[in-house]
Amino acid sequence: MANKIPRVPVREQDPTIRATNFEEVCYGYNLEEAQLEASRCLDCKNPRCVGACPVGLQIPRFIAALHEGNLKQAASIIAEDSSLPSICGRVCPQESQCEGACILGIKGEPVAIGKIERFIGDWKLEHSDEVAADVAPQRGHRVAVVGSGPSGLACASDLAKWGYEVTVFEALHELGGVLVYGIPEFRLPKERIVAREIHEVEKLGVKFEKDVIVGRTVTIDSLLDEEGFDAVFIGSGAGLPRFMGIEGENLNGVVSANEFLTRTNLMHAYDNSFDTPIYVGKRVVVVGGGNVAMDAVRTAKRLGAESVIVYRRSEKELPARVEEVHHAKEEGIEFRMLTNPIAVLGNEQGWVTGIRCVEMELGEPDESGRRSPVVKADSEFEMACDVVIMALGTSPNPLIASTTEGLETNRRGCITASEEGQTTREGVFAGGDAVTGAATVILAMGAGRKAARAIDQYLSQKA
Amino acid sequence: MFTILEKQLLAENIYLMKVEAPRVARAALPGQFVIVRADQVGERIPLTIADFDAAAGSVTIVIQTLGVSTRKICTLEAGDQLADFAGPLGRPSEFVHEPVEELRKRRYIFIGGGVGTAPVYPQVKWLKEQGVEVDVIIGAKNKDMLIYTAEMEQVASHLYITTDDGSAGSQGLVTTKLEELIAAGNHYDECVAIGPMIMMKFVALTTKKYNLKTTVSLNALMVDGTGMCGACRVTVAGKTRFTCVEGPEFDAHEVDFDEAMRRQGMYRTQEQRALAIHAEHEAGHQCRIGLDK
């Protein structure tokens, strides 16, 4: 029986070594391992994994193709629904999506769908000449995509495949959005994976223009009225980092996770051949429990600091991917759960010297269903540190909404859009973090694809 | 890539560069800035726009060599290319959104200190084009460090020059000149000051005495410049604001200058180290024991 085989373990860089470098943590499967793992799939009649995937990847089909040794076919099956398998295989929270729904997971371990997807994606990058994508003939409509992150790339590649002329505008000097400024090299290699997967999107005919800040360099209206685009997709991503509003937060040494990660990832502060300065100190406290917090704390560790996570709920509530928490622990990250900062402490020169915290305990569940933390009486204590990194999420960037008349936002400042991505302006669609607030790569891709379908429908009717 | 069309040495270590950037030139308004990167390994440096010409598709920046990155930019010559030139960023000066009739009722005093004189110019020029009266004070260390005096002469109603050593104009600080002008019976409705943080702080303290509304343009530390990282946060009226998307101009009487100056020094140790290593490399010294890593 296929499911008697245990889940094939994946090879990883030794934790003590990798905690000192920026090389990728996980080596991934080789062909033999991937095929062995593929043999565990039951090929269910009603595959629950497909329904649990935000982009609806035909999981049993590509696993079967791999099992039969038909890699080209496996890659083509994935390409029908996703242009970024090497990225998604690495950063999706599979445990709460495809693998979380896998029947094998009920009694044992689910099929390692993410690792298989990654293997096929990486194979495709190596053999990209052999797998040509189907691109429909040009339809004579131009679409502008704002942002080259996951939602923009997903939207752009679908539209390009359907024959639309697509230009993606990126504000920064590198393409990829959060894939390059946010997610660290050791989790998602930039040149080997991100740049090449984006190059695949380019090969579909998508044009990219960097250093264009929509809302400043151009506006949504100027794209539609002056530059001749027939529709716009806004995938501008998350925005301004949140801070706690506690005393001492503007001391030197307090940074947002976005700043810390942007300096290391986009600006390569860990690489001496780049000019970017970074301040790490000897001991770093990262406040938060999401993927961004894990990325920041593991980055600080790699830059040589003793690194601690401070999170106000318990470990069970950590929103980060299970694998990231596991990896962080292996690398020697200290976890201080049920702890909440109430002030950042500093010296006379205005530099951070520590953080004052209170202990928390879990009370009644809140609106998110998680038990909300309440302060334990008389539990105040201080921790010494040189750097405090706030990883508390983001609030929307106002640039586009404030410069586009008729584009409504909700009370949190996110762009209002329907399930299909239609905004309150005709011809203007949106998806990803700009609409939902900070979420995941794959949800953003899902939103980009839905918006692509809506744009196709809109332009087909218009024509 | 963005081609440098023209380069001029304005004063010691201060250069003017006119850059081909049609999209930025078309969208720019007074008060905004750009993010410049010299090459593929360079930092993103925020620089206030000193002039722009939509028809010619060019944007002028004025840059003082301070650290490794600004030096790198200044080693480039006309015909060379900058890796990135993104903008215009930040909110335009408030007055560009006000009715011209209102502006014409007012009398402005602009104060430019050192390299900060350059971004004062497009604001004065813009107001002049709308028929608004603007007096300008330019301050510099000495005669040789004065920039933009000829250009400013063309657009200012009255131009006053002050130098620390009295080698040009009157000797003293810009604040001394400002108080003199007010004492002499000049009435101003609004003051705009751009220059070193310390100068802006003292202008703010001075104008506060006269209840004169004052705007300053903050040159905070930045990484992305688009509202993503929060490196540029400043405290204004007790609230944390992001210079890149909510500024760069703020009410001078509300800004916490001491905090802003301290935050500017956040990477000073690293910057000075980088500069020292850079200087050693330029002098032909190659460290053999890895101290430059």
Side-chain angles (χ1 to χ4, degrees), chain B residues 1 4 11 13-14 37-38 42 47 55 57-58 67-68 97 141-142 147 168 206 225-226 228 235 242 252 261 266 270:
Chain B
M1 302 291 271
I4 299 167
N13 296 330
I14 300 178
R37 219 164 61 106
L47 293 168
S58 68
V68 171
H97 303 299
K141 248 187 213 145
N142 55 47
I147 60 166
T206 307
T226 65
M228 209 175 73
T235 303
F242 288 8
M261 281 188 269
M266 170 114 185
Q270 284 95 326

Side-chain angles (χ1 to χ4, degrees), chain A residues 211 227 256 275 278 397, chain B residues 23 72 84 226 228-229 270:
Chain A
D211 292 329
E227 302 210 19
S256 73
D275 299 335
I278 194 158
N397 190 318
Chain B
R23 280 195 188 278
K72 229 181 196 180
D84 299 278
T226 65
M228 209 175 73
C229 81
Q270 284 95 326

Side-chain angles (χ1 to χ4, degrees), chain B residues 112-128:
Chain B
V115 73
T117 309
V120 162
Y121 174 69
Q123 300 203 18
V124 179
K125 181 177 151 189
W126 191 91
L127 285 167
K128 159 93 176 175

